[in-house]
Amino acid sequence: MGRSARSTFVVQPGKTHPRDYPADAPSKGPDDKTEGGTALAELRSKLAVQQDMLYARGAEGDPRSILLVLQGMDTSGKGGVTGDVVSAFNPAGVRFASFKAPTSEELKHDFLWRIHKQVPAAGLIGVFDRSHYEDVLVVKVRKLAEASVIEQRYSRINDFEAELTASGVTVVKCFLHISFDEQRERLLARLDDPAKHWKFREGDIDDRQLWPAFEDAYATALGRCSTAQSPWYVIPSNKKWYRNWAIASILLETFEDMNLSYPEVDLDFKRLKERLAPPN
Ligand code: ADP
């Protein structure tokens, strides 16, 4: 079987800079796109069954839920993971949230205010496309808050996530790691494909020029906010099929740890079937 996906991709203590990790597909896992596709199809079926049990249990009072946090540079595939992996789930059980630059109302509140509102309820899978981590990433790189304010946020985030864990939310944090060159290819592809023009923002090129500063900010966030209960996973994401396989594998292991089963409900089957008998 080899090592679990979680132990393969979890951020290592003292090794938190993106440059310490491969962005290309490493040897663990499927070897190519075809193998990756086959493995993903299998994982998707298993994930769907697990989610069905989670949802059913939520309806019967089990407080547990899962929160998948997706972070990464522009074009790293946050939307792709939603389309390719999260789509395995029944949408009724998914709570999706994307976090853009805060509105003027959001800015008048604590940075976690808008995040709290999107935490998945019992039985659901929450997906964050960007997250509270933006407040120690773009905010830090672009100096959108005082350094002392940002400094306090790492422990605020750890406390917040510990609270989530204690209340039954398993937080799965994935950093989608692509290389600088791969981002260039993807931005160029956006320019060449009319179906992708709407995704192109010139601001993405401005952020790209700050790549090293973003990497440093990621290194700090990964180092300071990877805890035993909610670690960061670094996902090699230059190859989409590998990224999808890795995240689906981590999610399945997370589900399997929850030991889910359908809730046992006390029904008087005999009487209920009698009531459903056709009238004679
Ligand atoms: P995406 O790139 O996620 O598809 P957009 O192109 O609308 O969507 O970009 C969202 C932008 O919002 C990103 O540049 C991101 O850095 C920014 N953003 C998200 N959260 C915050 C925040 N808390 N403070 C400032 N900017 C933020």
Side-chain angles (χ1 to χ4, degrees):
M1 251 314 275
R3 293 165 72 207
S4 71
R6 284 181 302 177
S7 62
T8 302
F9 300 117
V10 71
V11 81
Q12 303 298 313
K15 202 178 141 192
T16 68
H17 201 281
R19 82 166 90 83
D20 297 331
Y21 293 89
D24 278 316
S27 56
K28 153 106 192 172
D31 284 335
D32 56 29
K33 193 172 176 176
T34 311
E35 256 187 43
T38 309
L40 181 63
E42 260 175 51
L43 288 163
R44 283 174 57 95
S45 315
K46 291 181 181 169
L47 285 170
V49 173
Q50 292 285 330
Q51 182 213 11
D52 200 45
M53 292 192 283
L54 181 70
Y55 188 80
R57 296 191 70 89
E60 291 296 318
D62 187 329
R64 289 178 294 174
S65 64
I66 290 181
L67 173 58
L68 175 66
V69 172
L70 299 172
Q71 280 289 160
M73 302 295 279
D74 292 309
T75 76
S76 61
K78 301 182 290 294
V81 171
T82 304
D84 299 340
V85 181
V86 177
S87 59
F89 301 129
N90 179 340
V94 176
R95 168 105 199 221
F96 178 83
S98 69
F99 295 96
K100 313 277 183 194
T103 62
S104 57
E105 191 193 13
E106 287 168 349
L107 279 173
K108 288 185 203 149
H109 290 273
D110 179 71
F111 78 107
L112 292 172
W113 182 72
R114 65 176 184 163
I115 309 292
H116 271 286
K117 293 197 286 189
Q118 303 291 350
V119 169
L124 300 190
I125 298 175
V127 180
F128 282 3
D129 176 342
R130 305 186 186 270
S131 65
H132 41 301
Y133 283 93
E134 291 291 324
D135 290 278
V136 292
L137 294 167
V138 67
V139 171
K140 186 176 196 190
V141 171
R142 296 202 168 276
K143 300 187 169 56
L144 302 175
E146 296 284 335
S148 61
V149 170
I150 297 168
E151 181 57 31
Q152 291 163 5
R153 287 184 175 165
Y154 301 98
S155 58
R156 295 278 320 282
I157 288 174
N158 289 339
D159 291 347
F160 167 62
E161 291 179 1
E163 234 178 74
L164 291 183
T165 308
S167 64
V169 186
T170 301
V171 187
V172 178
K173 301 181 292 193
C174 294
F175 166 57
L176 308 186
H177 180 29
I178 55 166
S179 62
F180 189 63
D181 290 344
E182 178 64 21
Q183 189 195 47
R184 179 169 176 276
E185 295 301 319
R186 292 186 185 188
L187 288 172
L188 284 172
R190 282 186 182 180
L191 288 176
D192 287 340
D193 181 354
K196 291 183 177 167
H197 287 170
W198 66 277
K199 288 191 188 181
F200 200 91
R201 279 192 320 118
E202 195 165 352
D204 293 350
I205 301 180
D206 299 331
D207 282 354
R208 177 172 170 77
Q209 277 156 357
L210 296 168
W211 185 277
F214 271 103
E215 282 201 321
D216 289 349
Y218 269 107
T220 309
L222 265 49
R224 292 178 68 176
C225 299
S226 196
T227 59
Q229 302 273 34
S230 53
W232 269 105
Y233 299 102
V234 182
I235 311 296
S237 298
N238 274 2
K239 294 277 180 285
K240 295 171 185 172
W241 52 266
Y242 192 88
R243 168 202 80 198
N244 292 338
W245 170 81
I247 294 184
S249 300
I250 289 170
L251 283 173
L252 186 62
E253 287 172 19
T254 304
F255 268 116
E256 285 172 348
D257 257 13
M258 294 169 88
N259 272 318
L260 297 171
S261 57
Y262 282 103
E264 282 182 31
V265 181
D266 195 15
L267 296 175
D268 183 344
F269 294 100
K270 186 163 173 289
R271 189 180 61 77
L272 293 171
K273 284 185 182 169
E274 278 164 13
R275 287 198 63 198
L276 285 165
N280 42 27

